[in-house]
Amino acid sequence: MRATMHKEHDLRQAPNMLATALRHLSRLIQGELKLAKAELSLNLSRAAYGLVFFLLAALLVLVAIHLLATALVATMVAEGMSVGFASLMVSAGLILVAGCFAVWAKSRLSLAAISPDKTLQNLKSDVDAMKESAND
């Protein structure tokens, strides 16, 4: 039994085995790079949507500030409170919506949201597998 095992692990085959291992390692690295690129692309497109909603929130805040100013003027000019009170209610609603957009946008723009988690997990598994096969 030992004689057949010795033939299977003949040192003359070492260069071929090394070349094969290097080819496999190269393919593995290329695959992981493709996965990382795809994952980053997806996460960056999500971040782009977050940025759009953040800009919408900023626009709504500008409108709300304008309406608040209009409400103040209307309140001072008007004999009654109906126009000013309505403007204040609309402004408060817009500020609330803008706040919701800003919170949502912030969650999409965080570093944790765009990091390539799957790729990092695969790389860790690959390193563990290489360590394990090196020990065999």
Side-chain angles (χ1 to χ4, degrees), residues 76-104:
M76 291 168 51
V77 173
E79 291 184 32
M81 294 294 287
S82 62
V83 173
F85 185 72
S87 295
L88 285 171
M89 293 301 292
V90 170
S91 297
L94 287 173
I95 288 172
L96 181 65
V97 169
C100 291
F101 282 160
V103 167
W104 186 83

Side-chain angles (χ1 to χ4, degrees), residues 32-88:
E32 294 299 339
L33 288 175
K34 284 181 185 177
L35 177 62
K37 183 179 176 183
E39 192 173 0
L40 281 173
S41 176
L42 176 67
N43 290 343
L44 287 175
S45 71
R46 287 181 182 165
Y49 281 114
L51 184 60
V52 166
F53 278 97
F54 186 77
L55 292 174
L56 284 173
L59 178 65
L60 287 177
V61 166
L62 288 175
V63 171
I65 290 171
H66 179 73
L67 285 173
L68 282 171
T70 302
L72 181 59
V73 171
T75 301
M76 291 168 51
V77 173
E79 291 184 32
M81 294 294 287
S82 62
V83 173
F85 185 72
S87 295
L88 285 171

Side-chain angles (χ1 to χ4, degrees), residues 1 3 7 10 20 39 46 48 57-58 70 88 101-102 110 119 121:
M1 179 86 173
K7 285 183 182 178
D10 191 1
T20 301
E39 192 173 0
R46 287 181 182 165
T70 302
L88 285 171
F101 282 160
S110 70
T119 302
Q121 186 177 3

